[in-house]
Amino acid sequence: MTTSPDLPGSHDWSEAGFSTRAIHAGQDPDAGTGAVVPPIYQVSTYKQDGVGGLRGGYEYSRSGNPTRAALEEALRAAEGGAAGFAFASGLAAEDTLLRATLRPGDHVVVPNDAYGGTYRLIARVFGPWGIEHTPVDLTNTDAVLDAIQPGRTKLVWVETPTNPMLTIADIGAIAAHARSAGAVLAVDNTFATPYLQQPIALGADVVVHSTTKYIGGHSDVVGGALVVADGAQLPVGLDGPTGGTSLADAVRFHQNSSGAVAGPFDAWLTLRGLKTLAVRMDRHCANAAAVAEFLAGHPRVTQVIYPGLESHPGHELAARQQRGFGGMISFRTGSVDSALAVCAATRVFTLAESLGGVESLIEHPARMTHGSVAGTALEVPDDLVRLSVGIEDVADLIADLAGALA
Ligand SMILES: *Cc1c(COP(=O)(O)O)cnc(C)c1O
């Protein structure tokens, strides 16, 4: 769509490094004014130069908006994909992908510790529309193979690291199984971010994001994204809504048909966050490593779950698959009461859902983010505490936790 040299996205940054792509892809200075960042095109419709005479392909902002296009191109470049799509939330992105790839009677393999909202969407929204699912421990690649029903499984959903148990799945190995079954491999890359992990290079067909988290990075916007790999196809046997079998074409059709798009201001905030993703992630990783070490040595903590610790069962795989271990830590305190007490006692860590912002957050998954999976295969331990380690001074973070655990 954005072929005019006047519009964002005209320069090819594919050879550039991660941060150069995040800062420049889709974000050429405005041709008319020289504005260095893409303006917020807070507009619903576009003047046509005669019927069908669109300027740069824009006709209506559900179908396309220049600010959103800038974000979509930057996300595409950050993930190394062929096409990017921005949505009103991570779940809106997931919903669009599920609609594009599944039909009644199809089957999905889902992580047995998937993000609760993902599980709820697949089980309780798509279930009644005839979609079956099997929760699987994705750390066991053979179990993934066993769960795939040839001819019926059309989508394999990977989340790594998972929320909140921080398990690590082998994207490349699972991609091979999904491919041989003719299923689409989707990877939720929200926790790792494209800076730490590049699922498409490892064989994923499509990357899913809640950009609400690290990509937005400032706890001020809700958004989601899909980035489709070059050449990715719909599941074997499914014809796309516009003819052909291109996954990107099907997602584009569904994004416009269902319309859960990112608004211009939300797209602008998300794009602003993406530019600093790499520097923020470096600090998130360094702070989390220090906090995990502290917790591992604390007598009131019974278990620390952080992929950067050698005690983590996925440590070696994470070291191979990721550039860093991320900013999320979960730990157990031995009882629900002590977990709730810690959550109530911190001052720098704010008690809140969500994650990935510059400020540190603490929460109790069993009663907060993962309440919707209580009583299912995805239930989480009730003495678990989850930290989103921010980019404050790490000494203050450790002192805060020390006080709360005392
Ligand atoms: C938050 C989250 C989602 C859902 O995204 P929203 O923006 O809240 O709709 C999906 N996956 C993961 C891993 C998440 O953390």
Side-chain angles (χ1 to χ4, degrees), residues 100-191:
T101 52
L102 300 172
R103 296 294 177 271
D106 288 348
H107 173 255
V108 186
V109 173
V110 296
N112 70 355
D113 60 347
Y115 172 70
T118 299
Y119 185 74
R120 181 177 57 197
L121 178 63
I122 291 172
R124 294 179 55 195
V125 177
F126 280 82
W129 288 91
I131 303 300
E132 287 184 20
H133 67 277
T134 305
V136 175
D137 172 7
L138 294 192
T139 65
N140 180 350
T141 306
D142 292 338
V144 177
L145 189 57
D146 288 347
I148 291 175
Q149 302 175 18
R152 273 198 77 216
T153 302
K154 300 298 168 69
L155 182 65
V156 177
W157 193 275
V158 168
E159 193 183 315
T160 181
T162 53
N163 176 6
M165 299 309 289
L166 302 170
T167 61
I168 307 294
D170 187 335
I171 296 172
I174 295 171
H177 291 328
R179 193 174 306 117
S180 58
V184 165
L185 179 72
V187 176
D188 184 335
N189 203 25
T190 299
F191 269 39

Side-chain angles (χ1 to χ4, degrees), residues 1-5 7-10 56-58 65-66 69-70 73:
M1 183 168 65
T2 51
T3 47
S4 158
L7 290 161
S10 59
Y58 294 105
N65 172 282
E73 171 58 14

Side-chain angles (χ1 to χ4, degrees), residues 5 9 27 51 62 154 167 225 276 291 294 328 392:
Q27 302 167 74
V51 174
R62 168 163 40 70
K154 300 298 168 69
T167 61
T276 57
V291 169
F294 162 76
M328 299 301 296
E392 300 97 332

Side-chain angles (χ1 to χ4, degrees), residues 89-91 94 115 159 163 188 190-191 210 212-213 222-223 355:
S89 71
L91 284 172
E94 296 186 15
Y115 172 70
E159 193 183 315
N163 176 6
D188 184 335
T190 299
F191 269 39
S210 170
T212 312
K213 315 296 169 51
V222 171
L355 60 111

Side-chain angles (χ1 to χ4, degrees), residues 158-340:
V158 168
E159 193 183 315
T160 181
T162 53
N163 176 6
M165 299 309 289
L166 302 170
T167 61
I168 307 294
D170 187 335
I171 296 172
I174 295 171
H177 291 328
R179 193 174 306 117
S180 58
V184 165
L185 179 72
V187 176
D188 184 335
N189 203 25
T190 299
F191 269 39
T193 80
Y195 176 60
L196 298 183
Q197 176 169 274
Q198 297 262 288
I200 288 174
L202 297 167
D205 295 304
V206 54
V207 173
V208 180
H209 277 287
S210 170
T211 56
T212 312
K213 315 296 169 51
Y214 287 104
I215 290 177
H218 297 75
S219 304
D220 54 10
V221 60
V222 171
L226 298 175
V227 178
V228 179
D230 192 21
Q233 300 293 302
L234 286 166
V236 165
L238 181 60
D239 285 329
T242 57
T245 57
S246 156
L247 179 58
D249 287 351
V251 167
R252 188 174 293 108
F253 173 85
H254 281 272
Q255 182 193 39
N256 185 45
S257 299
S258 298
V261 294
F265 184 50
D266 288 359
W268 186 87
L269 281 171
T270 305
L271 190 56
R272 177 182 165 116
L274 179 63
K275 291 171 201 279
T276 57
L277 180 65
V279 290
R280 286 186 286 109
M281 288 316 292
D282 283 339
R283 179 66 75 89
H284 282 295
C285 291
N287 281 1
V291 169
E293 283 294 334
F294 162 76
L295 291 172
H298 198 285
R300 296 227 167 126
V301 173
T302 58
Q303 187 189 0
V304 182
I305 305 169
Y306 182 62
L309 294 176
E310 278 174 27
S311 60
H312 188 289
H315 174 70
E316 278 175 30
L317 176 57
R320 207 164 63 231
Q321 193 165 263
Q322 301 176 202
R323 186 203 296 245
F325 298 108
M328 299 301 296
I329 301 173
S330 292
F331 64 97
R332 299 180 70 170
T333 60
S335 74
V336 60
D337 289 342
S338 56
L340 293 172

